[in-house]
Amino acid sequence: ILLFPGVKHTYCPSKKEGWHEYYVGFNGPYAKMLHDNQFINEGHPIYQIGLDDFIIRQFLNIFDFVQKEHPGFQQQVGASITQILAKASSLLLQRDQGGKERTLVDKIKYRFEESIFNDLDMEVFSKEFGMEYSKLRTTFKEITSHSPYKYFLQLKITKAKVLLQQEGVSVKEIAYQLAFQNEYYFSRLFKKKTGVSPTTWRNSSQFDNYDSDHSFRN
């Protein structure tokens, strides 16, 4: 969601699930150029792009830069903001250039996001879309290069990264929230996907180095 100066707006979280709100403000000549060239504008303030690991990581990078205030952190923040906007626009274009198959995949992605705190039976889940899982899996993989189950697990890992930034929430609680079998299975899967354990990732001051190179790792 992009909010523009002087433009009235209202928004609120889902009553059922609430939200964790991350935001960053930006201004200056570059922001004005983006606006003047209609790269961003008040007419299209909402980017429905789904849950993207790269964008979430850039937000986390921004907060890390600001908290540490190393020399040149303003430039690093500016670069991350630019990457967020570019990635969001790219994802939006990819969604719009689809067809029936891409529309179906988008719907599946949204349902995955809505169900991120649940455990899904893929065979049962596929019935929501009126098809057998084998067909749904083939269509989904053609568009995303990943199976639905693998994609769903990666969403959970991405969400876990966000939850791990919260104080006072244990690894066990996060595993429970995300409907994993137990804390040990969650920890093994997290390490397989990211290269480090949840505790190491949480405690590391360089968590932004554990990036998308590990995303969707087999």
Side-chain angles (χ1 to χ4, degrees):
I1 302 175
L2 298 180
L3 305 178
F4 294 84
V7 178
K8 291 183 178 180
H9 61 271
T10 181
Y11 57 93
C12 63
S14 161
K15 291 182 179 179
K16 181 180 178 181
E17 296 184 358
W19 63 14
H20 299 289
E21 185 175 5
Y22 291 77
Y23 65 90
V24 58
F26 60 99
N27 203 343
Y30 184 68
K32 183 177 185 304
M33 182 274 291
L34 293 177
H35 184 267
D36 291 346
N37 288 279
Q38 296 296 299
F39 185 83
I40 57 174
N41 64 80
E42 295 87 338
H44 301 283
I46 299 176
Y47 288 56
Q48 297 189 23
I49 56 176
L51 187 64
D52 184 78
D53 185 69
F54 177 84
I55 288 179
I56 290 175
R57 189 170 65 256
Q58 291 306 317
F59 268 110
L60 296 178
N61 286 348
I62 288 171
F63 303 140
D64 193 46
F65 295 147
V66 171
Q67 288 173 357
K68 294 175 180 176
E69 293 190 353
H70 291 318
F73 81 93
Q74 295 97 334
Q75 288 82 359
Q76 292 175 309
V77 170
S80 288
I81 291 172
T82 302
Q83 291 184 66
I84 288 172
L85 293 173
K87 181 66 171 180
S89 295
S90 174
L91 291 171
L92 194 62
L93 285 174
Q94 291 176 28
R95 191 200 69 174
D96 292 343
Q97 293 175 357
K100 291 184 178 180
E101 291 79 11
R102 189 172 291 279
T103 298
L104 171 64
V105 168
D106 283 343
K107 289 180 180 179
I108 294 171
K109 287 181 177 180
Y110 292 141
R111 280 290 290 115
F112 281 159
E113 291 166 22
E114 292 174 349
S115 306
I116 200 165
F117 294 109
N118 301 319
D119 183 23
L120 291 181
D121 182 319
M122 291 297 160
E123 295 288 347
V124 175
F125 176 76
S126 64
K127 297 297 192 294
E128 291 186 27
F129 300 91
M131 61 177 66
E132 296 297 324
Y133 179 63
S134 58
K135 173 62 176 175
L136 182 145
R137 184 181 188 280
T138 298
T139 300
F140 192 91
K141 195 167 184 178
E142 285 177 351
I143 300 296
T144 68
S145 299
H146 308 290
S147 71
Y149 181 69
K150 188 175 181 181
Y151 184 90
F152 186 51
L153 284 182
Q154 185 60 42
L155 286 183
K156 286 179 176 285
I157 296 301
T158 298
K159 184 66 174 179
K161 291 177 181 178
V162 176
L163 296 175
L164 284 166
Q165 296 305 306
Q166 299 177 28
E167 295 183 4
V169 182
S170 69
V171 172
K172 184 176 181 179
E173 289 172 323
I174 292 172
Y176 176 77
Q177 287 183 45
L178 293 171
F180 283 102
Q181 296 173 7
N182 52 58
E183 176 186 357
Y184 307 105
Y185 172 69
F186 164 65
S187 295
R188 288 198 304 272
L189 182 65
F190 189 95
K191 186 171 184 178
K192 181 179 179 181
K193 296 291 186 179
T194 67
V196 294
S197 70
T199 301
T200 300
W201 197 90
R202 163 177 272 169
N203 294 336
S204 175
S205 61
Q206 299 298 324
F207 65 85
D208 49 297
N209 289 335
Y210 303 118
D211 58 20
S212 58
D213 291 343
H214 295 94
S215 296
F216 296 108
R217 177 188 283 183
N218 290 319

